[in-house]
Every structure is written in structure tokens, then in C-alpha cells.
């Protein structure tokens, strides 16, 4: 589809459109979500796989509008599907984050592809072990799972993620 709008979002998805009054998902997400990391120099960096194949590592590169490898669709199970191939998700492989097949079940080992966003602290946590957070390693330009850093920790900035979105129809 064509990208029709790009902006930094204050909400992660339109809850009214996605969820009915009982809290159950009523439709598929319509927003393609893009996780951005603003480094200390103010440059926006985005998560993407190094390649489109299985077990390729998740890295951080300068954001490019409309680049499908940097766009992620968050589904009802908390899986981050890559817009370039929506059958591929960010997957936990030990402390590594790689590209893997999305799960079809919300059970262990499906939790390897399920992550939750802590909106207040702007962190992404593993649902299998919510003490592990997506962590940017500036020297390596990689994203891995490391122990969650409390906000007062001087290294906590490596776990802060902002959200931008591009609507694609």
C-alpha cells in the first residue's frame, strides 16, 4: 500500500477502533507501528532486521519513511510483525532478538514472539520474562534483551523507545 501519513504518535494504537466495550479485539490493527529510538545526538533510529530471513538479528538504522523493513504491525497477541513480510515477527532467542515466524497460539513457546509495551517508562518487555527489556547497544547498533533498568539508572536511556506510525492502506 501507499504511505499516506507519518507522525510521532502519543498513543500506540486506536483502542476504540480495536477493542469493543468488553476489551476483546474486534478487528485487526490498521496502523503499522514503527518503533524509533532517538539517540543522544537527536537522530531517529529505527529497528529493523539485518535481512528478511529467519534468525537474522534485529538492529537499529537511521529511519527512512516508508521503508517496510522498519515498519512493525503489533497484533492482538503483542507480536511485532514486520511489514515487509507479516508472517515474520521479532522473536526472543535467549537474550537475542531475531526475525522468526510469528506464533499462532498465545501459549508457551509462543511467548517467544510476544512483547508488551510499558507506555509510562517507554520500554518494551518480554512477556515470557517481564524483567527483560529491549535494549539498544550503541557500539554494536543491535537490539537485545537485557535486565530492565530503573528510570533513575544512568543506562536506562538505552531502553527508551518512542513510537511513530505510518498509516498504510
Amino acid at each position: 500500500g501507499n504511505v499516506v501519513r507519518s507522525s510521532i504518535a502519543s498513543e500506540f494504537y486506536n483502542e476504540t477502533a480495536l477493542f469493543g466495550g468488553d476489551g476483546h479485539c474486534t478487528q485487526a490493527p490498521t496502523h503499522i507501528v514503527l518503533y524509533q529510538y532517538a539517540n543522544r545526538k537527536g537522530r531517529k533510529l529505527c529497528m529493523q532486521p539485518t535481512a528478511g530471513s529467519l534468525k537474522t538479528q534485529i538492529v537499529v538504522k537511521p529511519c527512512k519513511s516508508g521503508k517496510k523493513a522498519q515498519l512493525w504491525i503489533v497484533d492482538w497477541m503483542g507480536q511485532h510483525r514486520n511489514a515487509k513480510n507479516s508472517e515474520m515477527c521479532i522473536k526472543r532467542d535467549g537474550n537475542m532478538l531475531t526475525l522468526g515466524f510469528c506464533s499462532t497460539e498465545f501459549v508457551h513457546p509462543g511467548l517467544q514472539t510476544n512483547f508488551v509495551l510499558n507506555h509510562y517508562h517507554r520500554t518494551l518487555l518480554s512477556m515470557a520474562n517481564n524483567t527483560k527489556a529491549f535494549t539498544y547497544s550503541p557500539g554494536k547498533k543491535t537490539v537485545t534483551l537485557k535486565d530492565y533498568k530503573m528510570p533513575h539508572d544512568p543506562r536506562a536511556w538505552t531502553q527508551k523507545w518512542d513510537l511513530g506510525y505510518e498509516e498504510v492502506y
Side-chain angles (χ1 to χ4, degrees):
N2 294 324
V3 176
V4 294
R5 188 176 83 185
S6 176
S7 66
I8 298 299
S10 61
E11 297 299 323
F12 294 96
Y13 46 81
N14 183 340
E15 290 185 40
T16 306
L18 290 178
F19 296 93
D22 60 0
H24 288 86
C25 188
T26 58
Q27 69 183 48
T30 55
H31 293 124
I32 291 183
V33 179
L34 165 68
Y35 287 97
Q36 299 181 328
Y37 170 79
N39 69 11
R40 290 184 174 185
K41 294 178 183 173
R43 282 182 38 198
K44 294 284 185 196
L45 301 175
C46 294
M47 278 192 266
Q48 70 177 66
T50 53
S53 56
L54 282 174
K55 297 195 175 211
T56 58
Q57 193 168 12
I58 303 300
V59 296
V60 190
K61 300 232 175 173
C63 297
K64 292 184 182 172
S65 181
K67 185 172 183 177
K68 285 195 170 191
Q70 294 180 341
L71 299 174
W72 302 93
I73 304 163
V74 181
D75 70 14
W76 69 274
M77 293 192 329
Q79 297 183 109
H80 295 69
R81 296 175 178 270
N82 193 257
K84 196 167 184 180
N85 179 352
S86 64
E87 293 180 4
M88 304 293 273
C89 286
I90 296 177
K91 185 174 185 177
R92 179 181 57 85
D93 185 4
N95 286 335
M96 299 296 296
L97 290 171
T98 61
L99 199 60
F101 285 113
C102 302
S103 177
T104 57
E105 298 179 26
F106 194 65
V107 294
H108 195 73
L111 292 176
Q112 291 177 330
T113 57
N114 302 116
F115 302 96
V116 65
L117 179 71
N118 175 336
H119 185 66
Y120 183 72
H121 290 127
R122 296 174 31 220
T123 56
L124 287 158
L125 303 169
S126 170
M127 287 179 77
N129 178 349
N130 63 12
T131 64
K132 299 284 185 182
F134 281 43
T135 305
Y136 169 60
S137 299
K140 297 179 183 177
K141 306 252 186 272
T142 58
V143 182
T144 57
L145 284 174
K146 293 194 177 177
D147 289 333
Y148 170 74
K149 307 288 183 215
M150 296 299 288
H152 62 276
D153 188 307
R155 296 166 294 168
W157 68 271
T158 62
Q159 296 179 341
K160 302 280 186 217
W161 299 91
D162 292 319
L163 179 75
Y165 67 93
E166 295 189 12
E167 291 183 29
V168 177
Y169 298 96

